[in-house]
Amino acid sequence: MLPGFPDAAPVAGLLGGVLIGLAAALMLLGAGRIAGVSGIAARACGISGDGMPRSAAWAFVLGLPIGAMLIAWITGGIEASFAGYVPLIVAGLLVGIGARIGSGCTSGHGVCGVSRLSQRSLVATATFMAAGIATVAVMNALGPEVLS
């Protein structure tokens, strides 16, 4: 247990990070593609015309929740709580719009782009981090009941 972080799971976090890095490396080396989820999802939905075949994009997109459900089933899952469906949907739409405007999401920029030292990805990731820190600060100041 880490001081100040009673629910921290550093070994699980390390393992998850290694698996994400391995998956990104395999995608780049095996398919020659960046494992940016927003770009792959756009390809699956027909919004983007370039990249992998649509069937492969759909397999990737469907594999994300199926993989998460499989791990939850094997490990017994975690207890999660959300502010509600409306804030969750609004947040998802805002993230999707931001990913399109920013030409990528945290997986494409933060995992793949930073590892390639892409200047655009370094700036995008710094922006993601700053926005996340500001959001946490505002939520801590206002309290989570604001979204209820």
Side-chain angles (χ1 to χ4, degrees):
M1 185 179 331
L2 299 173
F5 297 96
D7 297 325
V11 174
L14 177 63
L15 181 61
V18 167
L19 289 174
I20 289 170
L22 180 62
L26 287 174
M27 183 89 165
L28 183 60
L29 295 172
R33 299 282 313 149
I34 297 296
V37 176
S38 64
I40 295 171
R43 177 63 183 132
C45 295
I47 298 170
S48 174
D50 60 342
M52 64 176 53
R54 267 184 96 181
S55 59
W58 271 113
F60 186 93
V61 169
L62 292 173
L64 292 172
I66 291 170
M69 288 186 285
L70 181 63
I71 293 297
W73 178 68
I74 291 170
T75 64
I78 60 169
E79 191 173 318
S81 62
F82 302 95
Y85 287 110
V86 172
L88 196 61
I89 291 168
V90 170
L93 289 171
L94 288 174
V95 167
I97 291 167
R100 292 301 292 171
I101 291 170
S103 299
C105 59
T106 53
S107 58
H109 284 302
V111 175
C112 301
V114 169
S115 66
R116 296 180 305 118
L117 299 178
S118 163
Q119 288 184 338
R120 183 174 79 168
S121 292
L122 291 167
V123 170
T125 302
T127 304
F128 299 152
M129 295 296 291
I133 291 166
T135 301
V136 169
V138 169
M139 290 304 298
N140 282 337
L142 299 177
E145 61 277 351
V146 171
L147 295 177
S148 298

